[in-house]
Amino acid sequence: MERVKINRLLESQKPIDKVIVKGWVRTKRDSKEFSFMELNDGSCLKNIQIIADSQLENYSQIGAITTGSAVAVEGRLVESPGKGQKWEIHADKVDVISIAPEDYPLQKKRHSDEFLRTVAHLRPRTNKYGALFRIRSEMAYAIHKFYHSKGFRYLHTPIITGSDCEGAGEMFRVTTLNPTLENPNFSKDFFGCEANLTVSGQLSAEMFALALGDVYTFGPTFRAENSNTSRHVAEFWMVEPEMAFCDLNGNMDHAQELLKYLVTYAVENCSDDIALFTDFVDKELSKLLDTLINEEYARISYNDAVELLLKSGKKFEYKVVKGGDLQSEHERFLAEEYFKKPLFLINYPKEIKAFYMRLNDDGKSVAAVDLLVPRIGELIGGSQREERLDVLQKRLEEVGLSKEQYWWYLDSRRFGSVPHAGFGMGFERLLMLITGITNIRDVVPFPRTPGNIDF
Ligand code: 4AD
Ligand code: MG
C-alpha cells in the first residue's frame, strides 16, 4: 500500500479504514494506555495526531520514540474528538524508521531565527521554515504560470558570462588559472578571456525579446557586493521579463500586474502557511498584502521624489543628495510613510544608472524604473532600453565600456531594432514582502553572504 501525504488526508471527506503515513514526530506524550504523537511529513503546516494503543505488538519500541524521530504508521483515519483537528489516526502498526537522539537541536517549540541560521540544514523541519519554503516553491511555480498564461517564452540565460551587465564590477570570477596568480593572463584561461558569474540575464534576454517577442528568465544570479545588509545575498534568484515593442509605461503596467498576481496567488493557494506569518511574524502583514493586491501603485519621478524627501523634515542617517543614489531608508520612507503603498520611481539621472537605459529627451535622465515597496525598499529595477544605435554607442563610450566587447549587443540595434523594456525582480525580496520576514538570510535555503558559506 502506498503512503498518503498528510495534506491529502486532512482533506478527506470520510473516515478511511486503512492508511499509511510516514513522517517525523514533532511531539509525543504517553498515558497509561496510549501514546499520542503529532506527526508532520512536510506536506503542510498541520500535523496529524497518531494514537497508539499500549496493546500494540511493538509498544516498547514506540516508547523509545523521541522528538525528531522518523516513523511509518499504518492505521485508521477516524474523526477526532479533539479541538482544532478533524481527523486523527488510530494506529494498527507503528514502524520506527529511525530515532533522533536527545541532542536533536529542535526540541523546543520556538527557536530564534539567529539560532536557526546556525542549523540551516535542519530549520526546514520547524513550522515557520517549513511554511516559508513551501511558499517559496509555490511562488516559483506561480511565476512560470503567470508568464506562460501571458504567452511569454522561458529563456535560460547563461550563468557564466563574459560581460558585466550592470557595469558595477561586483562579479565573481570563474577561472581555471592558479588562484594565487596576482596578475593572471586571461588569454591562457579556460575561455581565453576573463569570465564571471552573471549578475543579470538581461543582455541575453534582450536578444531573445528581439526575436521571440516577450521572454523571461528566472534563475540564479551572483553579486560580490561586500555589503552585509538584511537585503543582500551573494547568490539570489531574479525574475527578468523582457518585452519587445514596450515602453516605460508598459513596463510599469506589467510589473504591477505581476506583483498583484503573485501576492493574490500566495493568499489564495498558500493560505495556511501565510496565516502563520500574519499571526506570528508580522501583525500588519494582512493589511500590507491587501494593499499590494488592491491599490494602484504610485508613479513619481526621481526629481519629485528627491524634493519630497528634502521637504519631509525627516531625520535620515544618510543625507539625501540630489543626483545621487537613494539609500534604503529613503526608499522605505517613501513607500512606508509617504505613499503607504508601492511606488514606481522613474527617470533617474543617467550618471547613477547602467549604460543600457534609454536616454530621455532632456539628455540628463534615463527611462529607468525602480519599484519601491514598504519594509524592503527596492523590489524591482528595470528600464526602457536604449534602442538607438548612435545613442547607445555614445553611452558605452561615456561609461568606458568597449564597443568591441559589446559588438553583438550593438548588432541588435543595427538589425531591426525596436523599443523594448524589462526589469528584474529579486525573488528573495518578493518572499520577504509576502511573509514579513525581515532578514533575507531567512528566505534562502542555504544563504551565501560575505564570510559565510557553511552549508
Ligand atoms: O536593480 P538590479 O541590479 O537590476 C538588474 O540587474 C537589471 N539588469 C534587471 C533587468 O532589467 N533585467 O537588480 C534587480 C533586482 C533588485 O531590484 C533586487 O530586488 C534584486 O534584484 N537584487 C538583489 N537581491 C538580493 N541580493 C542582492 N545582492 C541583490 N541585488 C539585486
Ligand atoms: Mg537596482
Side-chain angles (χ1 to χ4, degrees), residues 256-282:
Q256 177 172 308
E257 189 186 345
L258 171 68
L259 186 55
K260 282 179 185 291
Y261 178 93
L262 294 176
V263 178
T264 307
Y265 190 93
V267 170
E268 286 176 359
N269 294 278
C270 313
S271 51
D272 282 1
D273 288 331
I274 291 283
L276 180 146
F277 293 94
T278 54
D279 291 348
F280 298 111
V281 175
D282 180 355

Side-chain angles (χ1 to χ4, degrees), residues 38-285:
E38 290 288 328
L39 193 70
N40 189 285
D41 68 359
S43 61
C44 62
L45 186 63
K46 290 200 180 88
N47 305 322
I48 194 153
Q49 173 159 267
I50 311 288
I51 300 174
D53 196 307
S54 58
Q55 300 304 313
L56 284 184
E57 220 176 83
N58 61 344
Y59 195 69
S60 61
Q61 273 180 28
I62 296 171
I65 292 172
T66 49
T67 295
S69 297
V71 298
V73 178
E74 195 178 307
R76 288 153 284 139
L77 185 75
V78 300
E79 243 167 275
S80 173
K83 236 177 61 196
Q85 62 203 24
K86 185 159 181 224
W87 300 109
E88 60 190 27
I89 294 177
H90 291 186
D92 294 319
K93 196 167 157 236
V94 177
D95 283 332
V96 178
I97 299 173
S98 75
I99 294 286
E102 274 163 18
D103 58 350
Y104 177 58
L106 305 179
Q107 299 287 350
K108 285 193 303 182
K109 256 207 135 133
R110 284 215 191 173
H111 300 270
S112 72
D113 293 323
E114 289 75 19
F115 167 72
L116 290 172
R117 257 172 246 151
T118 68
V119 288
H121 58 306
L122 298 174
R123 68 179 175 172
R125 297 195 202 179
T126 63
N127 280 344
K128 179 172 168 182
Y129 288 90
L132 176 83
F133 288 110
R134 276 188 297 273
I135 293 173
R136 187 174 168 120
S137 167
E138 289 304 302
M139 294 325 288
Y141 173 67
I143 284 167
H144 289 300
K145 199 168 156 153
F146 174 77
Y147 280 114
H148 192 262
S149 77
K150 289 185 72 72
F152 280 56
R153 306 300 176 174
Y154 176 34
L155 177 69
H156 301 99
T157 50
I159 307 261
I160 303 176
T161 71
S163 48
D164 180 0
C165 172
E166 290 307 293
E170 292 162 335
M171 299 191 292
F172 287 102
R173 181 162 301 158
V174 178
T175 180
T176 51
L177 293 175
N178 178 346
T180 61
L181 282 178
E182 279 283 343
N183 270 316
N185 177 359
F186 290 116
S187 67
K188 296 229 165 71
D189 205 348
F190 188 87
F191 297 104
C193 64
E194 196 177 334
N196 295 289
L197 294 180
T198 185
V199 296
S200 159
Q202 177 197 324
L203 302 188
S204 318
E206 281 187 56
M207 302 306 105
F208 277 75
L210 297 178
L212 303 184
D214 292 331
V215 299
Y216 72 104
T217 76
F218 180 31
T221 41
F222 307 87
R223 295 197 185 180
E225 287 168 289
N226 205 357
S227 46
N228 244 317
T229 79
S230 57
R231 313 181 313 148
H232 291 90
V233 272
E235 177 179 324
F236 61 100
W237 278 56
M238 217 201 286
V239 192
E240 296 183 89
E242 192 68 36
M243 299 160 284
F245 313 106
C246 180
D247 63 9
L248 191 62
N249 282 322
N251 208 15
M252 288 189 275
D253 293 344
H254 179 79
Q256 177 172 308
E257 189 186 345
L258 171 68
L259 186 55
K260 282 179 185 291
Y261 178 93
L262 294 176
V263 178
T264 307
Y265 190 93
V267 170
E268 286 176 359
N269 294 278
C270 313
S271 51
D272 282 1
D273 288 331
I274 291 283
L276 180 146
F277 293 94
T278 54
D279 291 348
F280 298 111
V281 175
D282 180 355
K283 295 274 179 239
E284 299 285 302
L285 185 60

